Amino acid sequence: MRYTVLLIPTLLLAQAGDPPAAAKRGREFFFDKGPKCATCHMAEGKGNKVGPDLARIARVSPKGLKVAILSTVTEYVVTAKLKSGESFPAMRVEQAGDTIKLWDLSKHPPEAREMPASDLASYGGNSTWKHPPTSAGLSAADLADIMSYMRWAAYGDRKGVTAEEVE
């Protein structure tokens, strides 16, 4: 007997038909307005792979998603301090030998930087960086729409999330 394995990329599903209204509004936030989530995250094959995969948390409760979206301190973001005195919020991409690759989150969109690891004076902690939705003034309804889009893009959810579930 022969089996076929289907691999579905996360937040890349081409859903049948149009998304529900809330997911459409959320898609606008994701790609075109407000915090523009796609600056750092991917969905539907568009955006950047700077931030973590959002499909992995799309099934979390709305209140749990709210905490993640509005989080200002994450395990991913650190402060990179260079021996030159420069300091910036960063996410490490990789380190190979004496070369380190970082995403510089002080730039919008984030900028990829590569440097000798010996240029770093310190690397750790995050006391200044804020996830963009924290400062974007999003309402509970806006957050619900973003969550509705995440769920639709990740696994085809058509029910969506209401503002009441987020509050």
Side-chain angles (χ1 to χ4, degrees):
M1 184 174 278
R2 190 171 178 190
Y3 294 94
T4 301
V5 177
L6 297 175
L7 299 175
I8 300 173
T10 54
L11 277 193
L12 298 177
L13 291 176
Q15 301 298 335
D18 285 334
K24 279 184 185 178
R25 292 188 303 269
R27 181 191 268 164
E28 287 179 24
F29 277 109
F30 203 92
F31 293 107
D32 302 318
K33 68 179 190 177
K36 294 184 183 174
C37 311
T39 300
C40 292
H41 301 281
M42 288 198 64
E44 298 185 86
K46 299 179 282 187
N48 289 307
K49 290 184 179 184
V50 175
D53 182 353
L54 298 181
R56 293 175 27 204
I57 65 166
R59 292 186 187 267
V60 171
S61 73
K63 289 186 181 190
L65 281 173
K66 178 181 178 181
V67 169
I69 291 171
L70 298 180
S71 177
T72 60
V73 178
T74 72
E75 65 182 284
Y76 306 104
V77 179
V78 297
T79 300
K81 293 181 183 177
L82 305 182
K83 290 180 181 173
S84 67
E86 181 184 6
S87 178
F88 58 92
M91 288 179 63
R92 188 167 86 168
V93 177
E94 69 179 357
Q95 185 169 354
D98 187 43
T99 301
I100 188 164
K101 294 179 183 178
L102 305 168
W103 284 108
D104 181 344
L105 301 180
S106 69
K107 312 287 188 203
H108 195 73
E111 179 181 291
R113 294 181 65 172
E114 186 174 318
M115 66 192 71
S118 59
D119 284 359
L120 285 172
S122 66
Y123 180 82
N126 169 31
S127 59
T128 58
W129 184 83
K130 294 189 180 334
H131 194 227
T134 303
S135 59
L138 298 176
S139 68
D142 297 336
L143 290 170
D145 289 345
I146 292 168
M147 292 174 198
S148 295
Y149 173 65
M150 287 171 57
R151 290 176 170 205
W152 177 82
Y155 60 91
D157 178 75
R158 298 195 69 78
K159 177 181 170 273
V161 175
T162 65
E164 292 75 25
E165 292 175 286
V166 173
E167 293 175 336

